[in-house]
Structure formats: structure tokens, C-alpha cells
Amino acid sequence: MQTHTFLRRAAAGLAVAAALTLTVAGSAGAAPAPGPSYDFSDCPALPAGVDAARWKCEVMTATGSLTLGNRTLPEFAPMTVTHAEGPMPDGSRGQVWGALRSAPTAVPGGLSGSPGGDRSPALGLSVQPEYGGRSDFYTVGDDMGLFTVRYRALGPLLPRGCVIGAGETPVEIRLKRVGPSERVSKNPPVIKFAAVDDTFAVPAAEGCGPLGRVLNDRLGLPAQTGNAITLSALYTYRTYDQLPPR
């Protein structure tokens, strides 16, 4: 993957992420806007006995491109990931998963043989990411930890249980930051960054019924190499003592 190609995609995706993540009141000639607001409704409950003022709920919204096997989604639907982290009562580090939210993204070419193939609605295909059950968001240098995802394959001819990365074999994403992060705002804290992973493997789709073999053949799955994800992201957080009561 060429860095200059990634950065062009990241710049375009960041504009979309910013528009979807930041809600700014006001208009030309009106009073100054009070600033952006964020949705912290997916912040998870804290472990018992921890100090709420030392725990952060972290929200990241990202767009970018995704390659699974031999198909590339030039721009996937915005994805929002929420989790919490802070010290446990014994002083060790703690994390709690919140949620992953995203809409489906159409796969070019659907279930036809190529991106320029049959565009019949019956052959349409979309994929939607879901949490894969494991995450570790502690950053070391440019390594941004791990999170696992499954991609639900959606189409008129596919059963609901059709999933890429089902069961004990989710897709393991290990993002690496590309270039410096930029602080967009101090109050509230907003940081933008770009990241990439082109080292992960993608297993075959499972639970897809009679079309399972066709789906895997069309997507080139399983694929040990050639997969990639690029992200342009906006990140913010609040400590739990700043969150409204539930």
C-alpha cells in the first residue's frame, strides 16, 4: 500500500467523519457557536470500586477504505467505536468495551464475478462490521492496540447468519498510526489521526447457505494476505465524573 494513496483517502474520509461526528450550532451572522457536541450514550458501566474521575469514556469515529480478499470498498460507512479505560482498584490498568456502530457498505460488483459485473438487485452484497469479542486499545508508540471485527454479509439471497469472521475466527485489526496526530480542540478534547493495517488475514464466510461457496469465490476468501484497512479518525473523551447521570 502506497502512503500517498492512503493519505489522499484519509483526507477525504476525515471530512466525512468530521461532518458526522461534530455538530456545531449557529450560522453566519449569528452568535458564536457553543462548540461541538458528542454522543457518549454507548459509554459502558464502570467496574465496581473504581474512581470515576480517573476513568475516561473514549469515542472514535472513522471512515476510510477496506479491502477484503479481492474486493475493495473505496469508502466504507462511518464507524464509531466506544470504550472506557482507567485504573482498577488494585492499580492495574482496566478497559471496558462499549460498542461498535456502523451502517452497511455496498460491495462493488455484489455477488457477480467482478466489480463491473451484473448489477441485478438479487446479486447485491453489503458488509457491516460488528464487534468480534476482543479489544485492547492501549497505544505503544505508533501501534494502536487491537480490536476484532466480524463482517456480516447482507444481500437478498443471503441468510442473516452469513458472517465473515464468525465464531472463534474474527478479523484481528492491529492499527498503526500514519503521520502525526493533530489536536483539533482542547475543550472539548478532539484529536484527529490516520492509521492503517495491511497485515491481517480474513477467513472464509460462514453460515451463508447455498451461496456460501459463491460468496467466498467472488470475494477471494479465505485470504491470508492482500487485505487492508485505512482509517481517518476523530477521537474524543470525557471522564466519567463529567458524564450526565443515567
Side-chain angles (χ1 to χ4, degrees):
M1 180 179 300
Q2 298 296 320
T3 301
H4 67 275
T5 301
F6 165 66
L7 292 177
R8 285 200 301 268
R9 291 173 177 168
L14 184 59
V16 176
L20 288 167
T21 307
L22 308 181
T23 304
V24 180
S27 59
S37 61
Y38 299 88
D39 184 358
F40 289 88
S41 61
D42 283 330
C43 294
L46 292 180
V50 302
D51 183 353
R54 299 180 64 193
W55 272 71
K56 297 186 297 183
C57 180
E58 307 187 11
V59 180
M60 180 194 77
T61 294
T63 58
S65 66
L66 174 69
T67 297
L68 299 175
N70 59 20
R71 295 293 177 91
T72 295
L73 284 60
E75 186 174 307
F76 57 78
M79 176 176 64
T80 299
V81 175
T82 304
H83 83 288
E85 62 182 59
M88 298 297 290
D90 63 1
S92 62
R93 300 189 302 183
Q95 290 189 8
V96 183
W97 174 256
L100 185 159
R101 295 187 182 274
S102 184
T105 299
V107 176
L111 283 174
S112 62
S114 68
D118 190 337
R119 299 182 182 276
S120 164
L123 295 176
L125 173 65
S126 297
V127 292
Q128 183 172 11
E130 300 175 354
Y131 181 49
R134 188 160 63 95
S135 61
D136 179 359
F137 291 106
Y138 288 120
T139 297
V140 179
D142 287 333
D143 294 327
M144 305 190 71
L146 159 78
F147 73 101
T148 59
V149 294
R150 301 183 176 95
Y151 289 95
R152 189 166 297 277
L154 304 170
L157 300 180
L158 295 173
R160 178 64 184 171
C162 184
V163 175
I164 301 167
E168 300 299 318
T169 58
V171 178
E172 296 190 358
I173 305 295
R174 300 177 186 271
L175 292 170
K176 185 177 288 291
R177 193 187 337 264
V178 176
S181 299
E182 178 183 345
R183 182 173 290 276
V184 177
S185 169
K186 291 185 177 180
N187 187 21
V190 182
I191 297 170
K192 68 178 180 180
F193 64 90
V196 63
D197 183 9
D198 58 4
T199 65
F200 59 90
V202 179
E206 299 179 24
C208 304
L211 285 177
R213 180 175 295 181
V214 174
L215 173 63
N216 286 316
D217 179 64
R218 297 296 188 262
L219 296 182
L221 300 179
Q224 293 298 311
T225 61
N227 312 293
I229 186 171
T230 69
L231 295 182
S232 54
L234 290 171
Y235 158 86
T236 188
Y237 66 88
R238 284 184 187 174
T239 55
Y240 269 77
D241 59 329
Q242 296 175 321
L243 293 175
R246 298 185 179 183

